[in-house]
Amino acid sequence: MTPAPPPENFRHQTVTVNGMKIHYVIGGDGEVLLLVHGFGQNWYMWNRLLPELSKHFTVIAPDLPGLGESGRPDSGFDKKTLAADLHGMVQQLGYKSINLAGHDIGLMVAYAYAAQYGDEVKKLALMDALLPGVEPVWSQVRAQAWWFGFFGWPASGEVVSGREGEFLKGFWPLVGHVKDAFTPEETREFIRAYSTPGGARGSFRWFAAFDQDAIDNKNFMKHKLKMPVLAMGAEFSAAGYLTAHCRLVAENVRESKIMGAGHWIVQENTPQVQKDLLDFFMAK
């Protein structure tokens, strides 16, 4: 199956970073806004927001390495390395500074990007997840989220292979709140991306790297982020802890609580997510 089409003012592109292909969609004008997806979704998680965001920004939405149309590296699934891969993509495209948002695993990658290249990140939105190694929340959530362990198990990709659709349809409601939050097109595209050769295995390796991520984050935390940070948590997911969690790693944090939503905030409350992101990134 071919990848889903982006909005008409966007185009599919690829760039090669350190010998690895990174696929992304790009469109719009103005300052760069880099959008980093998480587990269970791919670049298409942002599709509903792209038309409006692209009126104000040059929007870039990649597939993380390991998934979809991006490459399948042998290593480098820690968030510090994934962030470096995306930084290489941004540099190749000729951009110096960016605005940045990440959801779920993408939150972890976005934080690692801002921690390593802080002078190049104007504003950062961290959306409904948490940071490995940042306590006390990390240990509490990890103890409850049984799927962290399964996804990080070396054989998990083989277990799910050939059953990606069945697996994802069973997983999505576990952390969501709104019933049937995804359109048929979104469901089809997400399943297609994880059904690409090695897609499920690659995405599970983001979880297998959590122990290394925790080590890296404890080093990053020694120097708090200086840029404005938006902590965007869902009412029925991370809103209860995310702002305080982000204040452990950043100096200037404001809160966005996405009402009526579970973890899949972009789909579960699209209007509020779009408004709060635009209000944050466009504020002077």
Side-chain angles (χ1 to χ4, degrees), residues 6-218:
E8 59 185 20
N9 61 324
F10 280 76
R11 61 194 183 277
H12 288 284
Q13 303 265 98
T14 59
V15 67
T16 300
V17 176
N18 298 325
M20 178 181 63
K21 181 176 76 169
I22 298 180
H23 163 260
Y24 60 96
V25 300
I26 185 169
D29 293 295
E31 292 183 0
V32 173
L33 174 57
L34 177 63
L35 303 174
V36 189
H37 70 86
F39 179 79
Q41 300 177 300
N42 66 338
W43 74 267
Y44 197 68
M45 73 161 282
W46 308 105
N47 202 54
R48 300 184 193 185
L49 305 181
L50 296 181
E52 188 63 33
L53 294 178
S54 66
K55 293 176 183 176
H56 311 280
F57 299 94
T58 299
V59 184
I60 305 171
D63 278 337
L64 284 172
L67 183 71
E69 278 50 64
S70 286
R72 306 287 190 266
D74 294 327
S75 60
F77 292 90
D78 61 278
K79 311 313 168 287
K80 182 177 178 180
T81 301
L82 292 174
D85 293 336
L86 296 187
H87 182 253
M89 175 192 73
V90 168
Q91 285 189 310
Q92 281 207 37
L93 295 177
Y95 299 113
K96 291 287 185 282
S97 64
I98 65 169
N99 296 286
L100 179 58
H103 175 255
D104 184 83
I105 293 288
L107 172 153
M108 304 176 189
V109 177
Y111 170 69
Y113 192 117
Q116 292 178 91
Y117 314 108
D119 292 344
E120 300 173 37
V121 178
K122 295 176 181 178
K123 293 183 180 181
L124 172 67
L126 298 175
M127 303 168 64
D128 210 74
L130 72 165
L131 294 167
V134 178
E135 299 295 358
V137 171
W138 173 246
S139 291
Q140 294 166 2
V141 171
R142 192 172 195 177
Q144 295 164 352
W146 59 263
W147 54 90
F148 282 12
F150 172 68
F151 295 172
W153 179 46
S156 58
E158 283 67 44
V159 171
V160 170
S161 180
R163 305 180 184 90
E164 292 87 357
E166 184 181 350
F167 166 74
L168 287 169
K169 287 178 180 177
F171 173 70
W172 288 325
L174 287 178
V175 292
H177 178 73
V178 176
K179 185 173 168 54
D180 299 326
F182 301 164
T183 65
E185 292 79 15
E186 288 164 345
T187 299
R188 192 159 50 241
E189 171 60 14
F190 298 148
I191 291 172
R192 185 206 63 79
Y194 284 78
S195 301
T196 53
R201 179 173 179 268
S203 65
F204 288 156
R205 294 180 76 179
W206 305 330
F207 293 82
F210 280 171
D211 288 343
Q212 182 60 50
D213 296 334
I215 293 168
D216 293 335
N217 287 341
K218 285 170 183 170

Side-chain angles (χ1 to χ4, degrees), residues 207-269:
F207 293 82
F210 280 171
D211 288 343
Q212 182 60 50
D213 296 334
I215 293 168
D216 293 335
N217 287 341
K218 285 170 183 170
N219 284 321
F220 291 151
M221 290 176 71
K222 293 174 184 174
H223 304 281
K224 283 194 170 186
L225 301 180
K226 305 287 189 192
M227 76 288 292
V229 173
L230 181 68
M232 181 179 280
E235 180 182 5
F236 296 101
S237 184
Y241 62 77
L242 185 58
T243 301
H245 189 68
C246 290
R247 286 186 173 134
L248 297 173
V249 302
E251 292 180 355
N252 179 4
V253 180
R254 66 192 71 177
E255 181 175 29
S256 162
K257 183 176 181 180
I258 304 302
M259 302 307 295
H263 179 60
W264 313 108
I265 51 175
V266 172
Q267 287 75 35
E268 295 189 46
N269 188 343

